[in-house]
Amino acid sequence: MMHLPTFPILVPLVAGAILLLLERKQSTSVLRVGAWISMAVQVAVAVALVSAASGGEIIAYLVGDWPARLGITLVIDRLSALMVLTTTLLAVPCLLHASAGWDKRALHFHALFQLQLAGLNGSFMTGDLFNLFVFFEVMLIASYGLLLSGALGPRIAAGLHYVVFNIAASTLFLIALGLLYGMLGTLNMAEMAVRVAQTAPEDVAMVKAAAGLLLVVFCAKAALLPLYIWLPETYSRAPAAVAALFTIMTKVGLYAVLRVYTLVFGSTAGPLADFAWDALVAAGAVTLVVAAIGVVGATRLRAAVAYLVMLSAGTLFIAFALANAEAISGGLYYLAHSVFVTAALFLIADLVQRQRGSMGDHLLPIAPPTRSASGMMYAIAAVSVAGLPPLSGFIGKFVVLDAVPAADTAWVWAAILGGSLLVIIGLSRTGTRLFWRVEAVGDAKPPPSPRPIEVGATVLLLAYGVAMTVAAGPILRYTDATARQVLDPGSYIQRVQDTQPQIREPSP
């Protein structure tokens, strides 16, 4: 079990390679079996990692037995374990939905799906910024393939914008890494935290500029205003299972902000301590409001859901940038909730699109009514994502609002509650036109029945939200402890520095 931290990366990476070799000679059924074996192992590993991290222990694993300052370090703490578990739980219904038939239409789907999981898990577990960049690229390259495979028309255009935007962001990422390495001599985050605190006064401005550039990259990945322009069109054009999996990708940028700007540029960073948080609270609030307006103005269900992904990013920027344990705890709970519920809405939109035929998921013109099951699932998801009681969205927002400092209460509450009100208006309007006040049209044929596997995948995502509501107490105790651990970078730094190679002893 000592090599357990490598499994969330190696298992999907090896599975992806094997599936790539098999896809030319084997049927889709064989590929599905291989994908599900990999997924079963990943679920077991993710649960084991959370179990290992829940006691507060931080695990540092030296890949290749190289010292942390020279080689690749994987770090498992409560935060990284939570993110890996959230990713894995999300991947299960996404794969289930794709296995209903879409995987036959997309070249290399199963291999790319596994590679994207490897990139996502690696991003959450790496202990240095260079490998964060590497895992970002693994994740993004796989996402390019998933998005563009079998694409035509508007999806091609949206996909190309997505690719160009992310290549530009990756270029900035490399420039920022070069500057930080030149100033600090390392990209290991634990080592950087020590050296940033010791930065000479004449170097502070340059390090701050590099850190600001890095922040721009992370905010672009997380779709913070005004760097969100790629998201609505890309997510609304992606195939349903792919769009559902993409809901975790903006959270990678948010995770990177939380990790880097509490560990490296946190309270112990001397003159560079907490330099970004105030701006991020305001930017998060503006993002939230703009996204809520987008939900109201959307003319397609998928576009509305894409704006809901952006709205969740704005809420999380507020929660994390408040930088107190209670707000971060509520934010982590809200993060998992928002991933599951927006993924469910993408799958519901796909069911609606096929049931309405040529009308697709457009709100107008009026089409024959869809199946009542889709309307019920939409109602549950809408209540949850709007933050109405009693579901998980309400709990997450309540905890965040309760943690807002008195000085910021008025405008932060106004942004979050005002955004929620706009979302309720927008989703009510969408539900009315798609499900609830649609009259039968003459002799119109009844809409086709959805595939049971696709309905099962959607129900599973909604069940996650219900389970988070029922188990809110234990989950919030875990996120409380996670937030306190994140705000105590000393334990993370000490653990990485204390982990020494077992065999290899490099020259000083």
Side-chain angles (χ1 to χ4, degrees), residues 239-264:
V242 175
L245 184 63
F246 279 9
T247 57
I248 193 72
M249 288 181 61
T250 53
K251 308 309 184 283
V252 180
L254 281 152
Y255 164 83
V257 170
L258 181 61
R259 174 68 82 192
V260 174
Y261 292 87
T262 53
L263 175 60
V264 180

Side-chain angles (χ1 to χ4, degrees), residues 39-200:
M39 192 54 62
V41 175
Q42 290 178 62
V43 170
V45 170
V47 171
L49 287 178
V50 170
S51 177
S54 60
E57 182 185 2
I58 297 176
I59 303 169
Y61 182 90
L62 306 179
V63 177
D65 204 36
W66 289 96
R69 61 188 172 85
L70 298 177
I72 300 171
T73 307
L74 302 178
V75 182
I76 301 297
D77 62 355
R78 287 190 176 100
L79 178 59
S80 57
L82 175 65
M83 297 303 294
V84 170
L85 180 62
T86 303
T87 302
T88 307
L89 291 178
L90 172 68
V92 171
C94 294
L95 181 59
L96 187 63
H97 188 278
S99 298
W102 189 83
D103 55 349
K104 293 181 179 178
R105 299 164 51 191
L107 187 64
H108 311 312
F109 169 79
H110 287 289
L112 291 171
F113 189 88
Q114 296 295 325
L115 292 177
Q116 182 154 33
L117 294 181
L120 286 164
N121 291 341
S123 298
F124 297 135
M125 294 168 54
T126 183
D128 68 273
L129 285 180
F130 180 75
N131 283 291
L132 180 62
F133 167 79
V134 171
F135 285 118
F136 263 40
E137 292 310 300
V138 172
M139 174 185 72
L140 289 170
I141 290 170
S143 73
Y144 301 155
L146 288 171
L147 179 63
L148 293 173
S149 183
L152 294 171
R155 183 145 64 93
I156 286 285
L160 290 176
H161 291 163
Y162 173 71
V163 171
V164 170
F165 185 89
N166 278 290
I167 289 175
S170 297
T171 305
L172 284 180
F173 200 165
L174 274 181
I175 293 171
L177 293 184
L179 289 172
L180 286 170
Y181 186 77
M183 298 303 298
L184 303 174
T186 182
L187 291 177
N188 179 278
M189 287 190 278
E191 288 291 327
M192 288 177 70
V194 175
R195 299 186 189 187
V196 163
Q198 301 168 351
T199 303

Side-chain angles (χ1 to χ4, degrees), residues 7 114 156 199 223 230 290 327 334 339 376 383 385-386 435-436 494:
F7 282 25
Q114 296 295 325
I156 286 285
T199 303
W230 58 273
V290 170
Y334 180 83
V339 164
M376 290 178 61
V383 167
V385 79
F435 304 104
W436 303 321
Q494 193 66 46

Side-chain angles (χ1 to χ4, degrees), residues 13 60 88 98 180-181 185 211 237 254 267 279 358 407 447 459:
L13 202 60
T88 307
L180 286 170
Y181 186 77
R237 299 293 180 186
L254 281 152
S267 57
S358 61
V459 170

Side-chain angles (χ1 to χ4, degrees), residues 421-446:
L421 178 61
L422 289 174
V423 168
I424 292 170
I425 294 170
L427 294 182
S428 299
R429 166 176 161 271
T430 302
T432 299
R433 291 186 173 173
L434 293 181
F435 304 104
W436 303 321
R437 298 191 65 181
V438 181
E439 301 294 336
V441 179
D443 297 329
K445 295 180 181 178

Side-chain angles (χ1 to χ4, degrees), residues 60 62 68 191 490-502:
L62 306 179
E191 288 291 327
S491 56
Y492 182 106
I493 296 168
Q494 193 66 46
R495 183 58 182 162
V496 173
Q497 291 182 331
D498 288 348
T499 303
Q500 299 298 320
Q502 300 297 309

